[in-house]
Amino acid sequence: MSTSMNTSEIDITQFHTVTEGKATILFPKKNEVFYNPVQQFNRDMSIAAIRTWSEMFNQEKAQRLEKKLIKPKDEKSKKIIEEKLDEINNSNNFTILEALAASGLRSIRYAKEIPKLKQVVCNDIEEDAIQSIKRNVKYNGLTEDLVKPNHGDAMRVMYNTVGTNEKYDVVDLDPYGSAAPFVDGAVQAVSEGGLLCVTCTDLAILTGAMHPETCFGKYGGMPLKGMFPHEMALRLVLQMLQTSAGRYKRHIVPLLSCSIDFYLRVFVRVYTSPQGVKKSASRMSIAYECSGCHAYSTQPLGKVSLKDNGAERHTPGTGPTVNSSCEHCTSTHHIGGPIWGDKIHDDEFVAKMLQHVKDNETNYGTSARMKGMLSVIKEEIHVPFYWTLARLCSTIHCNTIPMMDLYSAILNAGYQVSASHAAKQSIKTNAPASVMWDIMRAWVKKHPVVMNNIAENSPARSILSKEPTIEVNFTRHPKALPESKHEHLVRYQVNPTPNWGPKARAGQKRKTDEQVFE
């Protein structure tokens, strides 16, 4: 198809033009498909993530071929390897499926802004959306060989790859609502070591703000809405991805997991490995959160040990990790999960992606926020969940402790601490709850609480009735000020526009998530 555009075919008066990155789309005034400017951050992050992954993906393939090239079987084999190596290094060699494309903006940006892209299949089930995609591909001077409009059901498109070598190197799911209905097809459609990008916008469900039974039905886990709902949501989605992949002898490796505004976005690699699937039980956990003081604990479902001969032995986990009532305030526990209990980010990937953004700031309209979020994520320690300053202080009705003092006390006690990108004034630490409450008790000794107005059955009375069991040191620790804060980065986004959030679903043809689920 020619890249030339015949403008006489398009009545430009019927459209608004929207420019984002290197793409300009024609946005219909009659709103046959929708555009949400707040989602530019999602698309910017996706482009940076795919570019970072593609460099790693191609480098890994090249390294495997270079090893084979050292001792080829014969001259014919050597020539084949050299041709494959040349293709990896010098040609467009990977494919993307955008399963739910709407206007095609994301696919067009991918085509214009991601090097070495062979083809992006731009799929949607709505005929109006396909016409919009074709119009926008043409308007942007691209060929339908590079951005291929495809009218089809997302699941059927993905299932068509099963049993073939025509899998997609990147599968991008960015639905309106939950990605759960599409995951079974996606984990099968992505190539070996490929990238699966998943968005979920139904955070009211995932965070437990409403209908926890719906969350269990969609994601296979119970949410906890108390102190760390947004990280809980990320871990529920990762658990769902692994559970789905495991049915097909595949396992996931999370590269980056982001809680963003009114949605979440995760980037995971998918591999085929029965051995990797066997380890998934030890990477899943049950979560406990106290209903009174919000102290939390996790319990792995499985355990891996080594036999005398070095072989792995997989057994059920032991527990529970909490008593029937909270040891700190005697309240009951809420039980959540199963969740993904392992790392939710890959340090090497996050570092490379952050450096890429720093080196290409002008390419991303939201680069300031990208640098801020990635910097906070880079600093996150690899433990589940976090405390929040508000919960810690409100539980015992005390004056707010300065974050620097709290961080210093944790570090001086010999534990790790960081913020979480998922919540402002968050405290992610490997210090047990007993240490956290000891620190708060020591703070209260310096800044006494008036107990007269505190109810007799309040968690505050149980916690403050005990003496600290450790010596708490509030002396300023050199690592108490995170580098991301020292650099004055945009660590946490303020609401970008009035009345912002998810836009209305395009058209009237698609059912709501609730209708689909019912």
Side-chain angles (χ1 to χ4, degrees):
M1 177 182 172
S2 172
T3 59
S4 63
M5 182 189 65
N6 185 355
T7 55
S8 63
E9 296 178 12
I10 301 173
D11 182 2
I12 203 72
T13 62
Q14 299 299 311
F15 304 96
H16 299 295
T17 58
V18 177
T19 299
E20 184 181 294
K22 294 183 179 179
T24 300
I25 65 163
L26 300 174
F27 178 55
K29 293 179 180 178
K30 64 181 181 179
N31 196 34
E32 69 187 41
V33 289
F34 67 95
Y35 172 72
N36 187 353
V38 175
Q39 286 275 34
Q40 181 178 354
F41 181 69
N42 180 327
R43 289 181 282 267
D44 282 355
M45 288 284 281
S46 299
I47 289 166
I50 293 171
R51 288 189 63 166
T52 305
W53 161 86
S54 68
E55 291 171 6
M56 297 170 67
F57 186 63
N58 282 323
Q59 185 179 22
E60 289 166 0
K61 288 198 293 186
Q63 287 173 347
R64 287 195 294 268
L65 290 172
E66 286 166 356
K67 284 183 180 179
K68 292 181 180 179
L69 204 55
I70 296 172
K71 291 182 179 180
K73 293 180 181 178
D74 48 45
E75 282 300 315
K76 183 179 179 182
S77 298
K78 181 179 179 181
K79 187 176 180 181
I80 292 172
I81 294 170
E82 287 175 339
E83 287 174 354
K84 288 182 178 179
L85 193 57
D86 181 68
E87 181 183 353
I88 290 170
N89 293 328
N90 301 307
S91 64
N92 299 335
N93 54 32
F94 72 94
T95 58
I96 299 175
L97 169 66
E98 186 187 4
L100 306 148
S103 68
L105 169 60
R106 184 182 295 263
S107 290
I108 290 168
R109 286 198 63 189
Y110 286 174
K112 287 195 157 193
E113 300 177 40
I114 299 177
K116 294 195 173 184
L117 177 60
K118 183 178 180 180
Q119 186 181 69
V120 52
V121 175
C122 193
N123 180 76
D124 203 278
I125 198 170
E126 301 288 357
E127 181 61 41
D128 286 345
I130 295 303
Q131 294 306 314
S132 176
I133 291 164
K134 290 182 176 180
R135 186 167 53 240
N136 286 316
V137 168
K138 183 179 244 189
Y139 190 79
N140 281 270
L142 300 172
T143 69
E144 290 190 7
D145 289 330
L146 178 58
V147 182
K148 180 182 177 182
N150 190 77
H151 184 208
D153 178 84
M155 288 298 287
R156 187 173 297 278
V157 171
M158 292 186 286
Y159 280 143
N160 284 342
T161 68
V162 176
T164 74
N165 293 322
E166 302 301 317
K167 296 187 184 296
Y168 300 98
D169 298 308
V170 180
V171 174
D172 193 323
L173 298 178
D174 188 33
Y176 189 98
S178 174
F182 307 101
V183 165
D184 186 75
V187 296
Q188 297 180 76
V190 67
S191 68
E192 187 67 16
L195 185 67
L196 180 56
C197 316
V198 179
T199 301
C200 292
T201 64
D202 57 335
L203 280 194
I205 300 298
L206 272 166
T207 59
M210 57 191 295
H211 304 306
E213 74 283 3
T214 302
C215 182
F216 187 85
K218 286 184 178 182
Y219 297 98
M222 289 296 285
L224 292 173
K225 66 178 181 179
M227 189 163 58
F228 40 80
H230 292 279
E231 185 175 325
M232 187 76 183
L234 289 170
R235 293 182 179 277
L236 284 167
V237 170
L238 291 173
Q239 175 270 140
M240 173 193 65
L241 295 178
Q242 176 54 61
T243 300
S244 296
R247 299 187 182 105
Y248 308 103
K249 300 180 181 180
R250 311 196 85 183
H251 71 97
I252 66 166
V253 176
L255 299 182
L256 179 67
S257 305
C258 303
S259 174
I260 309 167
D261 303 333
F262 54 84
Y263 62 95
L264 62 79
R265 179 79 161 160
V266 297
F267 302 89
V268 305
R269 295 188 75 173
V270 181
Y271 297 92
T272 302
S273 169
Q275 193 66 26
V277 175
K278 288 179 182 179
K279 294 179 181 178
S280 62
S282 62
R283 292 171 177 154
M284 302 295 181
S285 294
I286 295 296
Y288 299 93
E289 182 181 16
C290 173
S291 60
C293 70
H294 298 281
Y296 56 87
S297 179
T298 58
Q299 170 61 59
L301 291 178
K303 184 168 61 175
V304 181
S305 57
L306 291 178
K307 299 179 182 178
D308 292 339
N309 62 1
E312 291 181 346
R313 182 168 180 260
H314 299 267
T315 56
T318 55
T321 54
V322 296
N323 299 323
S324 57
S325 59
C326 176
E327 63 180 291
H328 310 290
C329 73
T330 71
S331 301
T332 57
H333 290 98
H334 289 147
I335 303 173
I339 57 163
W340 176 262
D342 207 350
K343 293 181 179 180
I344 62 174
H345 313 296
D346 179 87
D347 291 336
E348 180 187 2
F349 180 84
V350 172
K352 286 184 176 180
M353 183 172 165
L354 175 58
Q355 190 58 50
H356 164 78
V357 174
K358 289 179 177 178
D359 294 341
N360 298 272
E361 287 187 34
T362 56
N363 292 351
Y364 302 109
T366 61
S367 61
R369 188 182 180 192
M370 293 171 75
K371 286 190 298 179
M373 177 170 282
L374 289 170
S375 295
V376 175
I377 288 173
K378 183 183 176 184
E379 294 168 349
E380 283 187 14
I381 64 172
H382 296 296
V383 295
F385 307 136
Y386 51 82
W387 300 82
T388 63
L389 191 63
R391 286 287 191 187
L392 275 172
C393 296
S394 64
T395 296
I396 56 175
H397 303 273
C398 70
N399 294 335
T400 301
I401 180 173
M403 288 292 279
M404 290 288 283
D405 289 359
L406 181 55
Y407 274 35
S408 293
I410 294 169
L411 290 165
N412 289 330
Y415 297 98
Q416 296 175 292
V417 66
S418 73
S420 167
H421 79 281
K424 292 181 181 179
Q425 296 188 316
S426 51
I427 304 101
K428 183 178 272 288
T429 180
N430 61 345
S434 59
V435 170
M436 295 299 291
W437 288 127
D438 275 351
I439 291 171
M440 297 308 295
R441 290 183 189 107
W443 171 254
V444 168
K445 283 184 179 294
K446 291 186 174 185
H447 304 83
V449 171
V450 178
M451 301 298 291
N452 294 341
N453 297 327
I454 298 177
E456 288 298 324
N457 61 347
S458 168
R461 288 194 176 272
S462 297
I463 293 168
L464 295 178
S465 65
K466 303 170 186 174
E467 288 295 316
T469 58
I470 64 169
E471 186 175 337
V472 178
N473 181 3
F474 290 108
T475 303
R476 184 64 50 87
H477 193 282
K479 294 183 179 179
L481 182 66
E483 188 177 329
S484 60
K485 192 168 185 178
H486 182 72
E487 294 178 2
H488 303 292
L489 297 171
V490 181
R491 287 155 41 98
Y492 301 99
Q493 180 68 27
V494 297
N495 291 356
T497 59
N499 305 313
W500 72 293
K503 301 297 183 184
R505 187 189 298 270
Q508 300 298 320
K509 296 180 181 178
R510 299 176 182 174
K511 293 181 178 180
T512 65
D513 292 332
E514 289 71 22
Q515 287 172 320
V516 170
F517 198 68
E518 289 169 2

